[in-house]
Amino acid sequence: MPDMNQNSPIILWFRDDLRLSDHPALSAAAKLGVPIIPLFILDDLSSDARRRGGAARWWLQASLESLGREVQALGGRVILRRGRAPSVLEDFAKATKAQGVFFTRLYEPSRVEEEQDVAAMCRMQGITCRRYPGALLFEPEDIATQKGEPFRVFTPFSKACLSRGGIKAPLSVPDNIIWPDSWPETDPLSSWGLYRGSPDWAKDFPTYWTPGSAGASQKAERFVVGPVSDYSDKRDIPSLDFTSSLSPHLSFGEISPRQVWHRVHHQEGAEGRGVGSQAFLRQILWREFCRHLLFHWPQMTAKPFDPKFDAFPWREDDGDLLAWQKGQTGYPLVDAGMRQLWHSGWMHNRVRMVVASFLTKHLMISWRAGAEWFWDTLVDADLANNTAGWQWVAGCGCDAAPYFRVFNPILQSRKFDPEGFYIRRWVPELAPLSNRQVHAPWEDGVLPPDYPAPIVDHAAARARALDAYNGIRQRSN
Ligand code: FAD
């Protein structure tokens, strides 16, 4: 900034970047040697895509408390305001006589729009607007095919990322932050009612999660000193804790992908060549790919990537949808997954694929209904990963699993939870059954009285789904 006014503050607008380390916008603001006012804006007014679901609101509340404590330990405060970001920032900048707004770039369509509006507001007010990277390893514009187009297939995308390399070392928390002499008013966090504890469906969440960057570092540390080396062999077994559980921390930006990347490389030696760490870093690139897709095809949150699915005869059946949501489908692995989601706000990736396949293929209910339920119940609800994940399983997405590959929930159960540990944990009605019976109790005539019979027959449901698929395929030929 050419004409610096040493008394006029910079507004550090926190978004999905609730951390102080490896925060390029914060580091850049600190370097200027002017006062910094941290501001978080809750936007409950804008489009649905920007409104967080229930589980994520529980997380946000705890994460803001954690960020507030961290900033306070450095002598500052996080100011909380509510409303549309451009107008809140405009009023706030006028009231504080700020000379600029610094923030981390995001990629969801509504966030892109928000940034454009904030940039326009800053121009009108004659103040500086600076946008910084930090939520991704690679900017979507920097990764392109040889024709200069966005990638639609993951493997060449990941190769292009890896060939760029040069992921810089993460930044530390700046030690030279200057705070203002006086602080503007803040909303009390409790007044936002982010999470109302009645009924307290999230009461078990704290046993699984510690929102905030300290919790994120602990999860990363636990993972890199142990599970990562066996990640490729064990990541698909839902009863084991062999994945990182970093997803909500990454979604809220409590840890940066660059911090995760470097931590894994550091642990595995300079090359980070372990099979487990390679497989894990590939998943971090899947996260990048999902954002790349959403950035280039913002309509994908509402529309199938493959246009022939516009004509798919999705069923609307509230009873079946409710049975799926409640974990009462009669398919033990599906029900275990849906109950894990309800109790912990998270579900193992293998099981996410099985339950999503069951909803879209066995029940032929639209992936959008599934994505909405996940949005409301996942603590890691993330527009890019959720949309791409659902479209991938439903077969209508970019580089998706073919629609005709219908997961058999009983075989998936026998393969990935052979001794039924996961099922017994989440579906206690089935706990007394033997390892053989637990995957499909009706087959052995041992259905417990408090557990439902399957709501659909696997073979018949599969045939119905394939018929519907062949119908739209023929129509589009
Ligand atoms: P790890 O296996 O430890 O992976 C590390 C990180 O890589 C994850 O934290 C995540 O950021 C990223 N990652 C892993 N798998 C994927 C993937 N398939 N696509 C994109 N990024 C990935 N992930 C979300 O973060 N939010 C969602 O809302 C979400 N919805 C999904 C919906 C469906 C239907 C499916 C099939 C997958 C969805 N995923 C979502 C992706 C994946 O299931 C989770 O990221 C993963 O289970 C989180 O657990 P983890 O942190 O232990 O993952």
Side-chain angles (χ1 to χ4, degrees), residues 205-220:
F205 287 8
T207 48
Y208 303 101
W209 306 108
T210 309
S213 57
S217 301
Q218 278 160 18
K219 279 263 191 295

Side-chain angles (χ1 to χ4, degrees), residues 11 13-14 38-46 50 79-96 98 101 114 117-118 121-122 125 127 184-187 192:
I11 301 168
W13 173 31
F14 275 112
L39 171 70
F40 181 86
I41 302 168
L42 178 71
D43 182 355
D44 265 352
L45 303 170
S46 299
R50 220 180 299 168
I79 304 299
L80 306 176
R81 290 286 167 92
R82 197 170 188 159
R84 288 182 203 277
S87 52
V88 172
L89 280 166
E90 180 175 346
D91 294 347
F92 197 74
K94 282 181 188 158
T96 56
V101 180
E114 185 180 63
D117 293 346
V118 167
M121 179 280 289
C122 288
Q125 298 303 317
I127 61 174
E185 292 275 296
T186 179
D187 289 358
W192 283 0

Side-chain angles (χ1 to χ4, degrees), residues 149-421:
E149 291 170 357
F151 281 100
R152 290 161 182 260
V153 181
F154 173 72
T155 303
F157 169 85
S158 65
K159 283 189 182 147
C161 292
L162 294 171
S163 70
R164 275 187 81 88
I167 299 169
K168 287 194 187 136
L171 303 163
S172 327
V173 180
D175 55 11
N176 52 345
I177 304 176
I178 297 175
W179 306 113
D181 293 334
S182 62
W183 288 92
E185 292 275 296
T186 179
D187 289 358
L189 183 55
S190 55
S191 73
W192 283 0
L194 278 174
Y195 175 67
R196 297 177 210 283
S198 161
D200 195 0
W201 59 273
K203 66 180 180 338
D204 292 336
F205 287 8
T207 48
Y208 303 101
W209 306 108
T210 309
S213 57
S217 301
Q218 278 160 18
K219 279 263 191 295
E221 202 54 31
R222 175 205 74 91
F223 181 66
V224 294
V225 298
V228 71
S229 42
D230 288 321
Y231 179 80
S232 55
D233 295 336
K234 298 190 176 154
R235 62 181 286 253
D236 269 325
I237 303 177
S239 60
L240 299 179
D241 210 2
F242 269 83
T243 68
S244 70
S245 307
L246 279 170
S247 50
H249 298 288
L250 280 163
S251 288
F252 283 87
E254 297 166 353
I255 191 166
S256 72
R258 187 158 70 170
Q259 288 173 310
V260 173
W261 190 273
H262 277 274
R263 188 67 192 83
V264 169
H265 272 253
H266 176 73
Q267 189 72 21
E268 287 276 329
E271 303 285 320
R273 282 188 196 278
V275 177
S277 56
Q278 291 306 306
F280 174 73
L281 294 175
R282 196 175 149 83
Q283 295 313 114
I284 297 294
L285 292 180
W286 264 105
R287 176 180 180 275
E288 302 267 318
F289 184 53
C290 295
R291 272 162 183 70
H292 178 87
L293 293 178
L294 186 57
F295 179 75
H296 290 293
W297 287 279
Q299 66 281 11
M300 71 184 267
T301 55
K303 288 187 78 61
F305 206 88
D306 178 345
K308 74 172 170 293
F309 276 83
D310 278 334
F312 194 83
W314 298 114
R315 289 172 62 243
E316 284 191 17
D317 186 321
D318 290 347
D320 280 359
L321 180 62
L322 192 65
W324 177 81
Q325 290 170 339
K326 289 191 149 184
Q328 295 285 351
T329 67
Y331 283 90
L333 186 62
V334 173
D335 294 342
M338 297 309 291
R339 296 187 198 186
Q340 179 182 29
L341 174 60
W342 185 252
H343 285 286
S344 70
W346 185 89
M347 193 195 301
H348 189 277
N349 181 59
R350 167 60 46 184
V351 192
R352 289 189 204 206
M353 293 195 281
V354 173
V355 304
S357 172
F358 188 83
L359 185 78
T360 53
K361 297 178 182 175
H362 287 75
L363 301 182
M364 272 179 53
I365 292 177
S366 168
W367 59 273
R368 286 188 210 89
E372 267 171 37
W373 182 250
F374 270 28
W375 184 255
D376 205 22
T377 51
L378 277 172
V379 287
D380 67 21
D382 175 299
L383 199 62
N385 292 3
N386 197 35
T387 306
W390 274 95
Q391 288 220 29
W392 187 88
V393 176
C396 58
C398 207
D399 195 14
Y403 184 86
F404 53 79
R405 196 177 295 153
V406 179
F407 278 124
N408 178 330
I410 305 162
L411 295 185
Q412 289 284 311
S413 182
R414 290 195 172 123
K415 183 168 177 191
F416 295 108
D417 189 29
E419 290 167 291
F421 291 129

